[in-house]
Amino acid sequence: MGFLDSILGRTRPKQADLDALFGVPSAAITLQASLGLRPTGLGSVCYRAAGGAAFAETEAEILTLLRNADDAPEISTSHDEFGYTWLVVDDDPDDVGGLVTDLHAVNTTLESQGFGPGLLCSLVPFEDAAGRRVGLVYLYKQGTFYPFAPQPGGTRQRDSLLEINLRETLSGELPVEQQTSRWLALWGAPGL
Amino acid sequence: MARTRFVGDAGLTARMTLVMFLLGALFVGLVAVLMGVFAQSGSPGIALLIGVGGLGVVWWQWYSSDKVAMRAMGAREVSPEQAPELHGMIDRLCAMADMPKPRVGVSDSHVPNAFATGRSPDRAIVVVTTGILRTLDAEELEGVLAHELSHVAHRDVLVMTVASSAGILAGMLAQGSRYGMFFGGNRRDGNNALPVWLLVLLVSLVTYAISFLLLKVLSRYRELSADRAGAYLTMKPQALASALQKITGEINTIPDRDLRASKSMNAFFIAPAIKGVSLKTLTSTHPSLEQRLEQLAKIQAELGRPTG
Amino acid sequence: MIVRILGEGQLDVPDEALERLNTLDAEVETAVEAGDEAAFTTALAALLEAVRAEASPHQLDSLDESDLILPPADATMAEVAQMLSGDGLIPG
């Protein structure tokens, strides 16, 4: 964002980078091969609901769009403790590509109506043989991915060892967020 | 290209540029006049020296703005473990705005206010008072935080400090010239012109007055810009609107003693910590509440325009 | 129609009252043009009083733009003249 823009107080809302999500299917294969992590079929988009009618219309449009598709996945929305909305897609675990396409449909619809700046992150949960859940999180504004591995038992602690391990595994595959201070803790996110 | 609902305010930008230009001209004018005055007494170099000295003070104020503010407000930095919700909220807003996350501080004062300071976005701090945490709900607090983060993104500390360089230099000169009066500065030289120190005193007082007013106008423009950017960041202008109404209402019921304490920090506060907010307060550092509500309502309309 | 009286907040004015309010508003304008402070004060007071009588308070927590912004009750003629000329270099 230009220095002059900031000096004159004309900061524009930051647009989202939507395309990097398409790297997820191949990353899923790597995760399964190297760490035995299988996709759970779940995927979600986290965004801010803007005030006013326009946003409500757009959100309704997205939900009908996804639900009317043939063999449509289970769609639901929920709100987290910070007032952000999570739109959750529950699809066939073996079709990560289909899942990403659905998530992308949500993003492009929001963006086409001018709500791109409201996109925070996307989350695709994975599971290992022991049922341990780990999240692959995509930050729209930074265009980067990072792992989020909550300790089991809801103690709001993170397994940073596993997260570092995941970062190394994924660094060749996806653009990984280097600043760990940006690795948002998404407690209670759908599918984790 | 992604469609954007962001509608800039050209009028605001134009007026802000004009005021910043005037303040710059004021600084240059002051140094020029000084050179003329000191040239009369045979040493124009002093004026340049004073000008550079003034800039040094300005640089220091900008450089140490976060430490000074923290001490002034008696704020203490809080870690994510100490204030998880506050940090979580700021983490998300910074991710949305794609800006570095500032440090977070809390100040024990029941004046409901928040401010952000620091010499650059990656060396900034956002402080909230315990009063504001008690007064606002989560969504309103988020609106205020988005407003403060916009101050950081707009580098308002840098802008306001540089913009006040003429005023700071003039203030220094006004002090300095008083001493000049005693140390032989008052011998009449040649064609019984006014003593040097008197000229310096007059010039700096006039400069100080002009810069004082221009700075207040500029500060009001910065507040309107921070409101605007904050509203677009949260996409919920009504949250900041209701926060402002609550804070301004609350402030008017706070005993004067507290308000005086926070008076010095006024420029960066979210709401004017003065009673009786009215249109005529030309010296107010904040646009009137109604002006801010009207702008937020306009942004709300822009965000809410049905899908074209 | 939403009218904001500066310093007093927003009011919902029924459209049929507009006719009468416009006549009062015209009187304020003529007073400002004539530069007659006394006539201005009485005209402004009459206008504001009429608006308050006709209108009901606008819902506090709904954020709406005002269609019309009226000067505060204690506004001087100079301020109103400046307001009418749009935002000068040093707005209020």
Side-chain angles (χ1 to χ4, degrees), chain A residues 127-162:
Chain A
E127 199 176 38
D128 67 9
R132 176 81 192 280
R133 285 290 178 101
V134 162
L136 175 59
V137 186
Y138 174 64
L139 291 167
Y140 283 108
K141 299 297 176 68
Q142 288 72 35
T144 55
F145 289 83
Y146 72 90
F148 173 58
Q151 294 280 17
T155 56
R156 286 209 168 189
Q157 298 290 335
R158 291 170 79 155
D159 180 344
S160 31
L161 220 57
L162 179 54

Side-chain angles (χ1 to χ4, degrees), chain B residues 15 18-19 22 214 217 220-221 237-238 241 245 279-282 287-288 290-291 293-294 296-298 300-301, chain C residues 4-10 60-61 63-67 69 71-72 74-76 79 83 87-92:
Chain B
R15 288 202 298 279
L18 180 63
V19 170
L22 287 176
L214 286 178
V217 173
R220 284 203 292 279
Y221 292 154
Q238 72 276 14
Q245 282 165 314
L279 175 71
K280 290 200 298 303
T281 47
L282 243 181
S288 77
E290 282 130 340
Q291 214 174 343
L293 294 180
E294 286 296 330
L296 287 169
K298 201 157 169 324
Q300 167 90 330
Chain C
R4 176 189 292 276
I5 300 179
L6 284 179
E8 292 174 25
Q10 289 179 314
L60 247 185
D61 49 21
L63 186 61
D64 302 303
E65 285 181 83
S66 312
D67 306 313
I69 298 183
D74 55 7
T76 63
E79 268 163 6
M83 271 178 74
D87 252 341
L89 167 65
I90 315 267

Side-chain angles (χ1 to χ4, degrees), chain B residues 29-41 43-44 46-47 50-51 166-181 185 189 193-209:
Chain B
L30 177 64
V31 173
V33 163
L34 286 180
M35 287 178 72
V37 164
F38 280 108
Q40 209 191 26
S41 63
S43 52
I46 298 183
I50 295 175
I168 292 173
L169 182 58
M172 274 168 55
L173 284 168
Q175 273 14 22
S177 56
R178 273 217 320 275
Y179 298 117
M181 185 172 71
D189 33 38
L194 285 174
V196 169
W197 63 268
L198 188 59
L199 274 175
V200 168
L201 186 61
L202 285 177
V203 164
S204 41
L205 288 181
V206 167
T207 312
Y208 192 83

Side-chain angles (χ1 to χ4, degrees), chain B residues 131-183:
Chain B
I132 204 170
L133 296 176
R134 174 176 46 80
T135 311
L136 302 183
D137 65 28
E139 205 176 60
E140 288 162 344
L141 179 63
E142 189 184 49
V144 167
L145 288 171
H147 168 95
E148 292 308 325
L149 288 173
S150 302
H151 274 307
V152 174
H154 292 170
R155 296 172 188 267
D156 278 353
V157 173
L158 174 67
V159 170
M160 291 308 285
T161 315
V162 169
S164 60
S165 41
I168 292 173
L169 182 58
M172 274 168 55
L173 284 168
Q175 273 14 22
S177 56
R178 273 217 320 275
Y179 298 117
M181 185 172 71
F182 298 111
F183 296 107

Side-chain angles (χ1 to χ4, degrees), chain B residues 15-66:
Chain B
R15 288 202 298 279
M16 188 185 299
T17 317
L18 180 63
V19 170
M20 286 160 93
F21 172 74
L22 287 176
L23 281 162
L26 198 62
F27 181 79
V28 170
L30 177 64
V31 173
V33 163
L34 286 180
M35 287 178 72
V37 164
F38 280 108
Q40 209 191 26
S41 63
S43 52
I46 298 183
L48 278 186
L49 206 65
I50 295 175
V52 167
L55 286 181
V57 169
V58 167
W59 179 84
W60 173 249
Q61 280 203 346
W62 163 69
Y63 189 80
S64 60
S65 48
D66 48 356

Side-chain angles (χ1 to χ4, degrees), chain B residues 207-276:
Chain B
T207 312
Y208 192 83
I210 300 174
S211 115
F212 180 81
L213 268 181
L214 286 178
L215 279 174
K216 297 298 171 190
V217 173
L218 181 61
S219 164
R220 284 203 292 279
Y221 292 154
R222 303 306 291 188
E223 285 305 318
L224 285 172
S225 312
D227 279 358
R228 165 174 292 282
Y232 274 108
L233 182 57
T234 60
M235 303 213 292
K236 290 196 182 102
Q238 72 276 14
L240 179 56
S242 70
L244 284 176
Q245 282 165 314
K246 262 192 192 174
I247 292 175
T248 311
E250 174 91 5
I251 276 191
N252 283 343
T253 58
I254 294 225
D256 277 349
R257 193 176 25 76
D258 276 305
L259 290 190
R260 266 195 308 282
S262 51
K263 188 89 181 61
S264 65
M265 281 304 301
N266 205 313
F268 299 99
F269 267 32
I270 182 94
I274 45 172
K275 286 204 173 159

